[in-house]
Amino acid sequence: MATELKLPDLGEGIADADVLSVLVSAGQAVAKDEPIIEIESDKATLEVPAELAGTVTQVLVSAGDTLQVGQTILELEESESAVDGRPPATPPPEAKVTTPTETPVADPALTPSLPTAQPGPAATTHAAPPPLPPAGGDMPVFASPSTRQFAREIGLNIREVPGSGPAGRISIDDVKAHARARPSTQPAASVGLTAAPLPDFSKFGAIRSERMNRVRRATATNIAQSWSSIPHVTLFNDADITSVEAMRQREKDRVRSAGGSLTITPILMKVVAAALKAHPKMNASADFTANEMVLKDYCHLGVAADTERGLLVPVIRDVDEKSISELAIEVAEVAGQVREGQLPPERLEGASFTISNLGGLGTGHFTPIINPPEVGILGVGRAVERPVYVEGLLRPRLMLPLALSFDHRAVDGADGARFLTWIVEALAQPLMLAMGD
């Protein structure tokens, strides 16, 4: 009996993905964990592996298709190796070959879960009660603290989620299911994207049309939603990094020999992590439905990256617990994964604050747009040498343009100013930034 292999849960409310290429064909034998298709989601390009070993009997997708999570990719005649991990033995001529009917249980910590196949006609099932409608008004919401936190982190109002548990209790699976359904029910205009038709540009001259990839479409939606729903305030300042640059020059060869690249970015990450510890309001998310601030004890920083596919924001976790050298090595590793299109989707999740560095492209000050549900983002421009008065004397100093955008609903102007000033003062005192290993 053929087994259906389906598109697994891609995380963070992603409901579908585009098929870039099909890597197998009917009649082909595949091993467990062998890639079967390459897809592009809103976050990344990745290969979907086979959960079982066997022979492909039918491929149900082709390049260019859009797959929903849980949609069947192909049908596969399962082999014996799918059950016990051994290569299938060749039976003697008189032996009767039987196909195992029990699907192996994958380790959920290592393998994305696939939706289970529907039971056959002979199976006896007990239908689960339908989800209760979402709570409204002052009705109590039955959900665990971890479920509430998850809903906040993906920007979802917990009161909008129908609960499938006893008495309408809401589980994390309910939140994920509601998040997947939400994009298809939200019109583009609701997130600030215009649907007005364009004029016929061809009457003015030659034109070409290029289809937006998924990263560009997702970026357009998220940026428009952020700009239209969050009252941004942007503060500007310049940091004197003359001493930091001298330290960077002294240490860059040592870090390079360890496999890293000591740019200003890992140094800034360490400073920002310390600033977030000193100013926890910036390391938070706002839940305006519950009138709560979710303060995060962890410090995961998103680092905006310009790629051929568009803007991606890889996340470096526990920045406060790592040295500058360790951060430089990890950033270099992630940069390599981004260039090769091999960045795992989980490396794009969980940021509590973002840094966007456009200095390498020659820009100065700019106004970065917040990446919700974060409440702040630091924009970094190109450092330039200019004369600055130091203790009454005009001296050449290397000045780094900084721009802090924050959500004024969650952060007061004074708090934002103190946070940015803390960063500027820390950069002026590089002895605070021990290189330690």
Side-chain angles (χ1 to χ4, degrees):
M1 178 178 176
T3 300
E4 294 181 343
L5 298 190
K6 303 182 179 183
L7 182 65
D9 186 352
L10 302 175
E12 278 212 342
I14 297 174
D16 55 29
D18 293 340
V19 179
L20 296 182
S21 59
V22 179
L23 307 178
V24 297
S25 57
Q28 178 177 338
V30 297
K32 185 175 183 294
D33 296 328
E34 180 180 344
I36 53 176
I37 61 170
E38 183 183 26
I39 61 171
E40 181 182 50
S41 72
D42 294 348
K43 298 288 187 179
T45 298
L46 64 153
E47 294 176 338
V48 176
E51 262 216 351
L52 307 172
T55 302
V56 178
T57 57
Q58 185 178 11
V59 178
L60 302 175
V61 301
S62 57
D65 289 352
T66 297
L67 285 182
Q68 304 293 318
V69 169
Q71 184 174 338
T72 302
I73 301 170
L74 55 80
E75 293 181 352
L76 175 136
E77 193 70 31
E78 191 177 339
S79 70
E80 184 178 341
S81 60
V83 176
D84 57 16
R86 297 172 299 181
T90 303
E94 295 80 18
K96 179 181 179 181
V97 180
T98 59
T99 303
T101 58
E102 182 179 351
T103 303
V105 179
D107 183 349
L110 301 177
T111 308
S113 60
L114 290 177
T116 55
Q118 296 297 320
T124 301
T125 61
H126 298 281
L132 292 183
D138 297 326
M139 291 291 290
V141 175
F142 300 101
S144 68
S146 60
T147 299
R148 292 173 183 269
Q149 181 176 350
F150 177 72
R152 294 187 197 106
E153 289 182 347
I154 65 172
L156 200 62
N157 182 350
I158 192 72
R159 289 185 170 274
E160 297 176 356
V161 180
S164 61
R169 186 173 181 81
I170 300 169
S171 67
I172 286 182
D173 287 339
D174 294 332
V175 175
K176 289 181 178 179
H178 187 72
R180 292 191 196 105
R182 186 173 51 165
S184 62
T185 60
Q186 281 190 323
S190 68
V191 292
L193 297 181
T194 178
L198 295 175
D200 179 10
F201 295 114
S202 63
K203 66 183 181 182
F204 305 118
I207 62 171
R208 292 177 295 109
S209 294
E210 294 181 354
R211 180 174 172 78
M212 293 183 183
N213 62 26
R214 294 193 64 97
V215 172
R216 171 49 50 201
R217 300 200 302 269
T219 299
T221 299
N222 295 339
I223 291 297
Q225 186 174 28
S226 174
W227 186 252
S228 63
S229 62
I230 297 176
H232 285 59
V233 172
T234 304
L235 304 178
F236 303 96
N237 208 331
D238 295 304
D240 185 342
I241 62 166
T242 307
S243 298
V244 166
E245 176 61 15
M247 179 190 72
R248 190 185 73 82
Q249 292 294 336
R250 289 195 305 270
E251 299 290 343
K252 66 179 183 180
D253 291 339
R254 180 177 71 85
V255 175
R256 184 183 297 112
S257 65
S261 177
L262 187 56
T263 64
I264 191 64
T265 297
I267 298 173
L268 275 170
M269 291 171 65
K270 191 65 177 177
V271 173
V272 168
L276 291 171
K277 289 290 184 183
H279 301 85
K281 290 182 181 178
M282 296 298 303
N283 195 39
S285 291
D287 183 348
F288 295 104
T289 301
N291 294 320
E292 294 176 347
M293 291 293 295
V294 182
L295 302 174
K296 300 162 187 174
D297 294 331
Y298 57 84
C299 182
H300 304 335
L301 295 185
V303 182
D306 178 37
T307 75
E308 292 181 356
R309 297 173 56 238
L311 177 65
L312 296 178
V313 187
V315 178
I316 308 297
R317 300 184 183 277
D318 302 314
V319 173
D320 54 319
E321 300 176 6
K322 298 172 181 175
S323 70
I324 295 176
S325 297
E326 291 170 333
L327 293 173
I329 294 169
E330 187 169 353
V331 168
E333 292 173 349
V334 170
Q337 291 177 321
V338 169
R339 284 193 301 270
E340 296 167 5
Q342 300 298 319
L343 189 70
E346 58 268 21
R347 294 306 302 258
L348 296 164
E349 301 175 350
S352 55
F353 189 88
T354 295
I355 297 174
S356 178
N357 188 349
L358 297 181
L361 300 175
T363 191
H365 284 297
F366 62 99
T367 54
I369 297 178
I370 298 165
N371 185 24
E374 300 160 30
V375 297
I377 180 172
L378 183 69
V380 184
R382 181 179 184 179
V384 294
E385 193 173 63
R386 67 170 189 258
V388 176
Y389 276 103
V390 180
E391 297 179 352
L393 298 176
L394 199 61
R395 300 178 182 273
R397 309 297 290 179
L398 189 62
M399 305 302 293
L400 182 70
L402 299 176
L404 173 70
S405 291
F406 57 89
D407 184 344
H408 206 0
R409 300 172 301 173
V411 179
D412 292 334
D415 292 323
R418 281 189 283 265
F419 178 76
L420 184 57
T421 299
W422 198 100
I423 293 173
V424 169
E425 292 178 350
L427 288 169
Q429 304 175 55
L431 291 179
M432 297 173 60
L433 310 174
M435 290 295 298
D437 292 316

